[in-house]
Amino acid sequence: MASDLTMCRAGYSSGLRLIASACGWLISWALSHETQAADSFVQRFCLECHDTSTRKGNVDLSLLAENSPPGLNEDLWVRAYDQVEIQTMPPRRARMQPTALDRSQWLQETREALVNAGEQRRRREGRAPLRRLSKTELQNTLSQLCGVPLDLALAFPEENPRGGYMRLGQALEISPQHLLGLQRAADLALDQLLPSRPWLSESRQTSGAEWLKRQQSAIGRDWEIVLRWGARTRDSSALVCFQSSQHDYLQIPIGQPARPGRYRIRARLAAEQTQGRPLTVALILSGYSSQPDPTLQRILELRDVSGTGTTLLEVEVQVPAQSARWEGRSVLLTPWSLPAQPLREALQAEELIGNRPRFTGPTLRVDWVSWEGPLDPWPGRGFERLFGASRFENRQMRDARRKSPTRAAEALWTKLPPNAFDVDPCRLQSDQPESDAKARLSSILPIVFRRPVAEPELTEFLSRFQASFRATADFHLAMRMTLKAALCSPEFVFLGNRPGELDAYGLASRLSYFLRSEPPDDTLILKAGRGELKQRPALFVEVDRLLNLPQRKPLLSDFTDAWLELYRIQETTPNRAYGEFDDGLLWSMTRETLSYVERMVREDRPAVEWVRSDWGILNERLAQHYSVPGVLGMELRDIKWPAGSPRGGVITHASILKLTSNGTVTSPVKRGAWILDRILGDPPSPPPPGTPAIEPDIRGAATIRQQLDQHRNQPACNRCHRVIDPPGLALENFDVIGGWREWYRVLSPDGSTATARLPNYPALSVWRGPDVERGILTAEGEQVSDIREFRDHLARQHRRIAASLVEKLITYGTGANPEFADRTLIQSMLTAAESQGFGMRTLLKEVVGSRIFLEQ
Amino acid sequence: MNPVNLRILPRRLFLRSGAICLGLPLLEAMLPPCGRAAERAREQLPKSLVLVGRGLGVHADHFFPVDDGPNYQPTRALKVLDPHRARLTVFSGLCHPGYPNTHHTEAGLFTGVSAERIEKFEHLRNTISLDQLVAHRWQGRTRFSSVVMGGQVTTPMSYDAQGVAVSSETKPSETFRRLFLNGAPDEVQRELSRLREGRSILDGLLAQLQRLQQRLGPRDRDRVEQMATTVRTTEQELLRSEAWVMRPKPRVARRVEDFEGARWSSGQRMRYDLAALALQTDSTRVVVSTETVGAAGEIEGSSLDQHDASHHGKDPAKLEQFAKYEDEETRNFGLLLDMLSHPVAGDLALLDRTIVLWASNLGNPSSHASVNLPILVAGGGFKHRGHVRYEADRQVPLSNLYLRILNHLGLDELRFGASTGVLAEPG
């Protein structure tokens, strides 16, 4: 929700900042001929405006003039270098102008010095810092280890966007909160890994009619039940739902309460009275959610029910374990696409009690719903992997086993009463604690640490076990404690190693967290062990394999979140004037973007399609929003845009248009800055400090465009805003939720405001305001009429778009921003990818195969 | 055992009741009623701090009085608080200089982090917030070093020394449980062994960090060194928790049901209630309560969401909608001051030793302006001055007031956030 019209008073941005990265390598700096030349260049051409006393634009370059090596004040050197290179500095009107030779000589010398400085630092310290697993990575890693999905929302502190999303090593702090959070998370994982009571996989089927009967006994009043849940069919075999709403649903009572794990949900459903159109049902996870975006987190699946015949729905869902106070989680099925409260009055008027309503609107018939699970047999996937055939039982099971050793394991506990495990829980058992512990630890620790474990390290954990075992004489407790220590240890929590080339295991981890946000799987570890990741082709085989593995979430969704800032999608809620906005649209727009990125990766689509494409991925809800005919059902599918459509590319996605708006009004400044930063890789400097905010006055008739024009025409503001505003203005035809508009909606109508109807939302009437003006002058001086032409303008800069993307991939993949010394390498990656049109998969491989990725 | 009324409480009964807390069985009710001894005793009474953080500012005309000093004409918002005028100072013209005009300055409201660290939220590098600094210095004196409750518009407001957001308890019922409900004996025992286990794990961590250090470059070695310090701090924290875990929590005449089903406004009141209870029982001396965004229909007559209404663009109808939320918030805040200012034995009210700060990061929510912030300080034993005005042009840092608060609480900091000095007010 950044301020809309932030007016700039100062002439220059305050972009150049003195960040003294004082490193020891000052010592190694030899005063050479080059530095002296460089100094004189700065003195001759820069200091007139940028010395300590003048500090024009708040930039003081005197630091660069005093024989300072580029290792100090590196950022300042780089900024100066860039300005001189693109010839914006010294300004044309300056009295002293360097000759072309002066310029190129200085550039070359500075470049060499900066690259040298970077290389030296890299040798000493490594390019990327040691980094902690981000919260998402930790959650995925622990989930994979214990074999049960975990929800760490309440257990571990939230990341700040800088560290958590882009995974910058420097930003992923370690505070006492993290250390304690880590212990909570480890406890949660171990509780799931070593479940105190066994389970059987169960399955239940409930007919629609039975389900309704249950509600009747709970509520009692007939018409209310009909309204909230539906009615029985004439033959009493099924349930018919009339409406959807936030609170009413078919609760699928998985267990009582639900044990975390994988479940299979099945249902036989039919869409009736829909004239052949499909209906959509949603599977939603019930229970407490501390997620900032409950709508998006809790929808497990949206599935379409065919408009003809019956549909057999089958979905596998995961019920996560979380450390919150128990609130009983289950899965809900709601007739998502039925209208909320249709004709409530009409139904009531029919005196429903005792009568069967004659309702002619669309309904969903539910023949039956069933669930099955947990799909993993006790003691679970994680246990199998880490403990294999270790004995895990309670005393009663042990006694039963001793009595009749040949009985099947299951027979040992299925007869026990459920509360038997409260007082006598299952525990790891051992007759030779010392040797068992050693055997187990030497197989578990390498899995936990994602690499082989050397003898001294094993000994250390073994002695932890021994100490704990001596104190408690309890094998189970001692093992659990030792594992908890392993899950809290830096070897588990940190990624990173000594400066220089990553070892094979370090590379395997980096690669897996980069592409899948997960620890490396067994195949990858195996290949690392065989040294197969050393060769580029073999490494790329792994890239392809990891990208092609089935995923729960869309491919690279964590990266997309960070790169396109999708995590901000719910930062603002649109004004009530946007009556068409609903959860379905919110969910769909986020999915559209994630699926778009996924297809870009799968098919190695060219970079130009980030801003212009003739295809898109839509469902019915988005198709309505975008006025595209003929898309039925909520499942996303590929479509071709109709000729002349303003859509195509992520910049016209409703999600992006929403998250770059201010909720109530669009902000060309915010949108422009977003495109410059996220797509073109050239973030504008923030407004100079002290820039006053301009208070919007919605009573006036001035459009945002008129206000911006006025602002941009002030010389002081022009320098930045002639670049920031055009991309934003090109998107002015899209409203705050990404709908197309030819005119503005009025939020506060007066007597003379006219109403209008929206063609794609015929039921909605809005207040019509002034027209959206067209015609934009780009920073490059090109006149474009609207978004269609502006897309072409952007598409011509596809190398720049690809470069920006590569930089973001590097930051995300290595945990460190690209630095000056990486520039040549980035250019050569781009050149290599050019023949593929800078395809997304090609770029991913170029990044992975580069020195930047292969070295710490 | 029946819940006891803590206001009139013979020390012996108090001790017998088992409600005694480590370090502080010293409630006003046990003090001699008057005289010098009373005064000395009063000075020894622990001070406390309550921060109320609000993400949506106020409409300036509804808040800032026109005239300065103690005899100001109360504005719409201050009228509700007028009974407390003698214990209030209203500040105008304060800000965190250089902050951008966005909602994200919420992250800096209580930290006063220097402008360049917050200028782009994506690059936020926060520093410790006022509450956590005090909590850190006073840790161990009470069961909880701080109680942080409530929601936010965009970002949390409480940050630890590493600039990591302190998680805020959003459910009042959970806070109540944590503060006042004792676990069953075996739960307590489990908690104790969990804490001990935690300490032992941290202990082992130090050795592991040392080994890790050996294979890292100098920059990472330094970071690992800092982590070792963090590990030691955390160990201390666990050790202190161990000291408390076996002691029963204080009993209060409230039930967890009283704190369930929180809505926007009732949630505010519940948090204030909890704040008062927590201070009365000396469960903590630092409380933070931060506000969420009210939704349309939450309070009578509201047809717009609070955030929507905050972008009123000077439209009178929207302004009135916004004011409805303001009225509700100030009314609730008034209730907090009421609760804290009930005179107890010896004429001493909690409010007289509790600094209550009510603050927002936005001076004008309609434009997201981050200057001329609405700031109110109540209680704490200050000699309050009514309305204190600084010229907005001077950009007097709010952190200077924070420094004043810190010093008043007995923390001899020389700087806080981007402070440039220390405010003389409130007197």
Side-chain angles (χ1 to χ4, degrees):
Chain A
M1 285 188 270
S3 154
D4 202 329
L5 286 169
T6 338
M7 300 276 171
C8 305
R9 252 189 326 216
Y12 294 151
S13 78
S14 65
L16 309 195
R17 197 148 284 116
L18 313 180
I19 303 165
S21 55
C23 326
W25 76 270
L26 228 178
I27 307 148
S28 65
W29 179 261
L31 270 181
S32 61
H33 158 78
E34 286 91 44
T35 24
Q36 280 157 17
D39 284 346
S40 64
F41 184 93
V42 171
Q43 271 161 355
R44 271 155 62 207
F45 304 113
C46 310
L47 289 196
E48 191 177 328
C49 301
H50 298 296
D51 65 347
T52 313
S53 54
T54 320
R55 298 173 65 94
K56 202 162 177 190
N58 205 19
V59 175
D60 178 3
L61 292 183
S62 56
L63 280 165
L64 305 189
E66 293 155 6
N67 283 341
S68 117
L72 289 175
N73 310 312
E74 187 169 327
D75 285 17
L76 198 56
W77 275 106
V78 172
R79 300 284 183 121
Y81 177 92
D82 288 345
Q83 295 290 320
V84 174
E85 188 182 37
I86 57 169
Q87 308 204 359
T88 47
M89 284 287 150
R92 256 171 229 135
R93 58 177 189 281
R95 195 166 41 86
M96 289 284 288
Q97 289 292 334
T99 64
L101 188 66
D102 282 339
R103 204 183 279 272
S104 65
Q105 227 169 18
W106 182 81
L107 282 172
Q108 191 191 344
E109 286 151 7
T110 310
R111 185 166 54 238
E112 281 167 8
L114 279 168
V115 169
N116 273 335
E119 289 295 338
Q120 287 191 31
R121 193 179 47 237
R122 193 171 291 205
R123 270 196 295 279
R124 280 171 49 84
E125 308 193 327
R127 182 184 164 279
L130 182 73
R131 88 170 170 89
R132 159 170 74 71
L133 294 177
S134 73
K135 185 172 183 176
T136 325
E137 290 170 310
L138 181 69
Q139 178 168 296
N140 294 349
T141 308
L142 288 174
S143 300
Q144 204 205 47
L145 279 174
C146 70
V148 171
L150 303 179
D151 178 356
L152 296 189
L154 295 174
F156 199 76
E158 270 311 302
E159 302 290 6
N160 65 53
R162 177 176 80 110
Y165 303 133
M166 256 341 210
R167 301 179 176 177
L168 271 172
Q170 291 294 353
L172 288 162
E173 298 90 351
I174 289 277
S175 95
Q177 294 190 72
H178 293 112
L179 294 176
L180 296 176
L182 208 52
Q183 296 194 356
R184 275 194 296 273
D187 269 331
L188 183 63
L190 289 169
D191 286 346
Q192 298 303 321
L193 181 68
L194 302 168
S196 62
R197 64 177 64 206
W199 67 77
L200 276 179
S201 180
E202 291 177 80
S203 69
R204 294 277 158 77
Q205 180 169 322
T206 315
S207 79
E210 268 175 76
W211 189 88
L212 191 66
K213 213 166 170 183
R214 232 183 280 156
Q215 299 310 317
Q216 253 155 352
S217 56
I219 302 274
R221 284 159 66 192
D222 259 3
W223 64 266
E224 197 174 320
I225 291 164
V226 172
L227 283 172
R228 290 180 67 180
W229 288 288
R232 250 168 295 173
T233 49
R234 273 181 208 291
D235 60 357
S236 285
S237 65
L239 164 74
V240 178
C241 305
F242 300 94
Q243 66 175 20
S244 73
S245 87
Q246 279 195 316
H247 311 291
D248 300 336
Y249 37 71
L250 286 165
Q251 183 159 348
I252 304 168
I254 295 177
Q256 285 298 351
R259 173 182 300 285
R262 293 188 303 134
Y263 288 83
R264 187 175 298 120
I265 308 278
R266 300 168 77 232
R268 196 168 78 197
L269 309 164
E272 293 183 334
Q273 305 184 148
T274 62
Q275 280 91 45
R277 292 169 68 91
L279 286 179
T280 304
V281 293
L283 287 164
I284 297 175
L285 193 64
S286 78
Y288 181 62
S289 169
S290 64
Q291 297 291 340
D293 50 353
T295 310
L296 301 179
Q297 293 291 324
R298 287 173 54 179
I299 297 177
L300 299 169
E301 292 277 347
L302 287 190
R303 287 297 179 88
D304 292 334
V305 176
S306 162
T308 53
T310 55
T311 298
L312 196 63
L313 181 88
E314 184 171 320
V315 184
E316 193 186 298
V317 298
Q318 298 206 328
V319 176
Q322 64 177 15
S323 55
R325 177 165 293 282
W326 188 252
E327 298 208 9
R329 311 204 76 161
S330 54
V331 178
L332 319 172
L333 184 136
T334 91
W336 177 274
S337 60
L338 288 180
Q341 311 211 342
L343 316 174
R344 187 185 172 111
E345 293 78 11
L347 278 171
Q348 270 171 328
E350 282 185 56
E351 286 295 321
L352 285 170
I353 303 160
N355 290 325
R356 194 64 67 233
R358 297 185 60 79
F359 182 71
T360 51
T363 59
L364 177 77
R365 196 185 80 218
V366 182
D367 291 340
W368 50 261
V369 181
S370 77
W371 60 270
E372 182 193 350
L375 296 178
D376 296 311
W378 184 76
R381 261 204 286 198
F383 188 94
E384 295 295 333
R385 182 160 171 240
L386 297 187
F387 291 97
S390 292
R391 256 168 49 216
F392 188 57
E393 59 195 7
N394 70 354
R395 278 194 299 274
Q396 284 171 290
M397 288 161 75
R398 187 191 57 198
D399 296 345
R401 180 172 53 78
R402 284 185 180 155
K403 237 185 275 169
S404 44
T406 51
R407 272 165 79 189
E410 235 172 64
L412 299 176
W413 54 265
T414 40
K415 296 263 161 50
L416 295 176
N419 62 0
F421 297 94
D422 292 343
V423 282
D424 180 16
C426 292
R427 307 165 75 80
L428 288 165
Q429 312 279 353
S430 169
D431 299 328
Q432 295 121 1
E434 293 271 332
S435 61
D436 275 359
K438 187 167 184 186
R440 289 276 62 87
L441 287 175
S442 52
S443 74
I444 293 175
L445 289 180
I447 298 178
V448 174
F449 295 163
R450 308 174 286 268
R451 57 168 173 78
V453 168
E455 198 57 34
E457 220 173 347
L458 178 63
T459 315
E460 188 194 306
F461 280 93
L462 201 55
S463 60
R464 288 194 135 250
F465 166 83
Q466 285 156 344
S468 177
F469 187 70
R470 267 197 305 276
T472 59
D474 185 327
F475 180 73
H476 176 86
L477 275 186
M479 275 305 276
R480 196 185 189 283
M481 160 78 180
T482 312
L483 287 184
K484 187 170 168 186
L487 293 180
C488 294
S489 94
E491 304 298 331
F492 170 72
V493 185
F494 287 115
L495 297 172
N497 217 322
R498 58 173 57 84
E501 202 174 322
L502 287 175
D503 67 14
Y505 298 100
L507 177 60
S509 282
R510 181 178 273 185
L511 185 64
S512 186
Y513 283 111
F514 177 44
L515 298 177
R516 299 181 58 83
S517 300
E518 277 173 7
D521 61 5
D522 294 343
T523 314
L524 195 55
I525 288 288
L526 201 71
K527 293 204 170 180
R530 290 203 208 118
E532 284 177 24
L533 302 182
K534 291 272 172 222
Q535 295 89 26
R536 236 170 113 95
L539 184 61
F540 290 166
V541 167
E542 279 308 287
V543 171
D544 283 328
R545 186 182 68 84
L546 292 175
L547 289 176
N548 296 341
L549 281 176
Q551 291 238 136
R552 217 146 242 301
K553 291 206 288 183
L555 208 49
L556 292 188
S557 49
D558 290 343
F559 171 70
T560 309
D561 242 19
W563 170 37
L564 301 177
E565 299 181 340
L566 279 183
Y567 63 86
R568 290 176 31 200
I569 190 76
Q570 279 183 298
E571 222 168 58
T572 63
T573 315
N575 184 277
R576 289 176 166 247
Y578 291 89
E580 71 269 39
F581 184 74
D582 57 24
D583 280 358
L585 182 58
L586 179 65
W587 184 87
S588 304
M589 60 169 69
T590 313
R591 276 304 164 113
E592 176 192 17
T593 305
L594 293 174
S595 308
Y596 192 93
V597 175
E598 180 164 68
R599 185 167 169 202
M600 291 291 282
V601 179
R602 291 218 183 287
E603 300 176 7
D604 199 19
R605 314 285 313 178
V608 67
E609 293 188 353
W610 292 117
V611 293
R612 186 184 67 192
S613 64
D614 59 357
W615 56 276
I617 298 179
L618 300 187
N619 62 13
E620 183 173 347
R621 185 69 192 81
L622 284 168
Q624 179 188 20
H625 196 54
Y626 295 165
S627 300
V628 174
V631 180
L632 295 179
M634 283 295 271
E635 286 170 22
L636 290 148
R637 75 218 62 183
D638 296 351
I639 57 108
K640 284 264 176 228
W641 293 112
S645 167
R647 307 279 170 175
V650 287
I651 57 167
T652 59
H653 283 187
S655 61
I656 303 303
L657 296 160
K658 178 178 186 303
L659 68 89
T660 54
S661 296
N662 272 342
T664 48
V665 287
T666 52
S667 163
V669 174
K670 207 166 159 183
R671 282 182 176 171
W674 187 91
I675 288 196
L676 289 177
D677 181 7
R678 302 284 103 191
I679 301 295
L680 296 173
D682 194 7
S685 310
T691 307
I694 290 297
E695 182 163 5
D697 189 339
I698 57 175
R699 298 167 305 176
T703 61
I704 193 132
R705 162 94 169 228
Q706 288 155 359
Q707 296 174 55
L708 270 180
D709 284 349
Q710 201 182 30
H711 177 215
R712 194 169 48 251
N713 291 336
Q714 296 171 27
C717 311
N718 184 267
R719 197 182 123 90
C720 293
H721 280 271
R722 74 189 178 84
V723 186
I724 301 172
D725 296 357
L729 287 171
L731 296 172
E732 257 310 82
N733 276 116
F734 298 103
D735 64 26
V736 297
I737 51 171
W740 179 260
R741 65 180 172 194
E742 302 281 349
W743 37 265
Y744 291 96
R745 277 184 218 188
V746 174
L747 309 178
S748 298
D750 58 32
S752 61
T753 318
T755 60
R757 291 204 175 270
L758 302 169
N760 51 339
Y761 295 103
L764 212 68
S765 165
V766 298
W767 300 100
R768 181 173 174 148
D771 287 348
V772 177
E773 299 103 316
R774 297 194 173 201
I776 302 120
L777 184 67
T778 67
E780 294 79 11
E782 198 180 328
Q783 191 71 42
V784 295
S785 70
D786 66 357
I787 179 65
R788 297 173 186 88
E789 284 183 29
F790 190 76
R791 277 189 320 216
D792 297 339
H793 168 78
L794 282 180
R796 282 193 287 278
Q797 308 178 53
H798 62 155
R799 190 183 171 105
R800 190 174 166 198
I801 293 169
S804 157
L805 185 52
V806 165
E807 286 176 10
K808 265 118 199 157
L809 287 169
I810 288 174
T811 305
Y812 179 82
T814 65
N817 285 317
E819 29 184 80
F820 192 88
D822 297 330
R823 286 184 177 187
T824 332
L825 219 46
I826 293 175
Q827 284 311 316
S828 63
M829 290 183 213
L830 290 171
T831 307
E834 189 153 20
S835 60
Q836 299 299 318
F838 310 107
M840 183 60 179
R841 190 176 279 240
T842 309
L843 290 181
L844 279 171
K845 286 184 186 166
E846 284 301 326
V847 168
V848 168
S850 75
R851 226 187 90 199
I852 297 172
F853 196 85
L854 300 173
E855 283 182 4
Q856 176 63 35
Chain B
M1 191 172 69
N2 292 320
V4 288
N5 181 344
L6 286 160
R7 294 222 185 91
I8 4 161
L9 190 61
R11 184 177 170 85
R12 182 155 292 237
L13 171 64
F14 185 83
L15 290 171
R16 218 174 35 222
S17 76
I20 181 162
C21 301
L22 189 76
L24 191 107
L26 200 64
L27 299 182
E28 293 94 340
M30 301 161 197
L31 293 176
C34 54
R36 267 193 145 168
E39 211 154 281
R40 263 205 310 280
R42 259 178 231 173
E43 274 161 25
Q44 283 166 9
L45 276 172
K47 292 190 162 67
S48 43
L49 176 68
V50 176
L51 304 184
V52 177
R54 307 172 46 260
L56 283 180
V58 291
H59 182 54
D61 295 349
H62 293 165
F63 183 77
F64 297 113
V66 176
D67 28 19
D68 303 349
N71 300 318
Y72 58 83
Q73 194 64 36
T75 49
R76 181 167 172 164
L78 295 177
K79 208 170 274 168
V80 188
L81 307 176
D82 220 32
H84 302 282
R85 185 190 284 241
R87 283 165 164 165
L88 271 188
T89 302
V90 182
F91 288 92
S92 55
L94 294 178
C95 69
H96 288 310
Y99 274 27
N101 299 312
T102 78
H103 279 290
H104 291 304
T105 52
E106 232 176 333
L109 173 62
F110 292 141
T111 70
V113 60
S114 57
E116 75 270 7
R117 288 171 150 239
I118 198 175
E119 164 183 85
K120 259 202 108 186
F121 181 64
E122 292 71 25
H123 299 281
L124 171 71
R125 285 169 300 146
N126 219 336
T127 45
I128 196 164
S129 57
L130 190 59
D131 52 304
Q132 290 306 304
L133 180 62
V134 177
H136 181 70
R137 292 298 164 77
W138 289 353
Q139 60 193 349
R141 298 186 190 180
T142 52
R143 182 183 293 265
F144 301 100
S145 60
S146 67
V147 171
V148 181
M149 312 176 271
Q152 66 229 353
V153 180
T154 52
T155 70
M157 299 186 215
S158 186
Y159 290 82
D160 70 13
Q162 275 86 351
V164 177
V166 173
S167 62
S168 179
E169 185 72 70
T170 50
K171 292 184 154 193
S173 56
E174 285 301 307
T175 310
F176 183 82
R177 266 179 232 277
R178 218 160 52 87
L179 284 170
F180 302 116
L181 294 193
N182 288 307
D186 61 320
E187 281 172 352
V188 171
Q189 204 54 51
R190 260 204 305 279
E191 176 68 6
L192 183 66
S193 46
R194 201 186 56 80
L195 290 168
R196 289 195 176 136
E197 188 177 80
R199 256 192 320 126
S200 140
I201 284 172
L202 290 174
D203 205 36
L205 210 60
L206 287 172
Q208 291 166 344
L209 284 175
Q210 235 165 26
R211 207 181 42 230
L212 176 71
Q213 237 177 351
Q214 286 162 11
R215 55 166 215 255
L216 298 174
R219 172 193 50 200
D220 289 338
R221 275 205 294 274
D222 287 352
R223 287 186 71 211
V224 170
E225 194 57 53
Q226 288 166 18
M227 270 174 235
T229 315
T230 307
V231 171
R232 287 186 203 101
T233 317
T234 317
E235 272 185 298
Q236 293 301 312
E237 215 174 301
L238 287 180
L239 200 59
R240 274 189 299 270
S241 303
E242 272 176 49
W244 284 101
V245 76
M246 296 305 283
R247 292 162 197 275
K249 294 176 184 175
R251 296 188 61 129
V252 288
R254 304 299 292 277
R255 297 170 313 150
V256 69
E257 291 79 16
D258 300 341
F259 297 92
E260 273 161 5
R263 309 281 306 170
W264 179 75
S265 176
S266 60
Q268 251 167 45
R269 286 193 300 272
M270 287 176 195
R271 288 196 297 272
Y272 291 153
D273 236 12
L274 286 165
L277 286 173
L279 296 179
Q280 278 162 15
T281 54
D282 204 31
S283 298
T284 188
R285 293 175 196 170
V286 179
V287 178
V288 179
S289 171
T290 55
E291 307 305 355
T292 48
V293 181
E298 285 278 0
I299 50 171
E300 188 154 337
S302 73
S303 57
L304 290 178
D305 289 350
Q306 191 183 11
H307 176 248
D308 189 355
S310 80
H311 290 286
H312 50 73
K314 298 177 182 166
D315 173 19
K318 284 189 89 173
L319 252 173
E320 189 48 39
Q321 280 287 315
F322 185 53
K324 285 190 192 308
Y325 291 100
E326 286 177 343
D327 292 349
E328 190 74 7
E329 280 188 51
T330 37
R331 203 159 32 236
N332 288 341
F333 183 65
L335 293 177
L336 172 67
L337 297 186
D338 291 347
M339 281 187 279
L340 296 180
S341 57
H342 277 305
V344 276
D347 243 350
L348 250 176
L350 261 176
L351 188 57
D352 287 325
R353 53 184 177 89
T354 304
I355 302 180
V356 183
L357 172 77
W358 188 87
S360 178
N361 54 308
L362 293 185
N364 177 351
S366 189
S367 65
H368 295 146
S370 60
V371 290
N372 193 23
L373 304 178
I375 306 293
L376 213 149
V377 173
F382 284 118
K383 294 184 185 68
H384 286 282
R385 301 260 187 94
H387 178 208
V388 173
R389 184 199 308 269
Y390 293 98
E391 286 316 314
D393 283 356
R394 278 178 59 200
Q395 304 243 324
V396 176
L398 178 54
S399 294
N400 292 4
L401 171 62
Y402 291 172
L403 199 54
R404 177 82 175 86
I405 289 175
L406 288 171
N407 295 347
H408 192 76
L409 292 173
L411 274 65
D412 47 4
E413 309 297 309
L414 297 174
R415 285 186 59 90
F416 180 81
S419 67
T420 56
V422 57
L423 281 200
E425 297 86 1

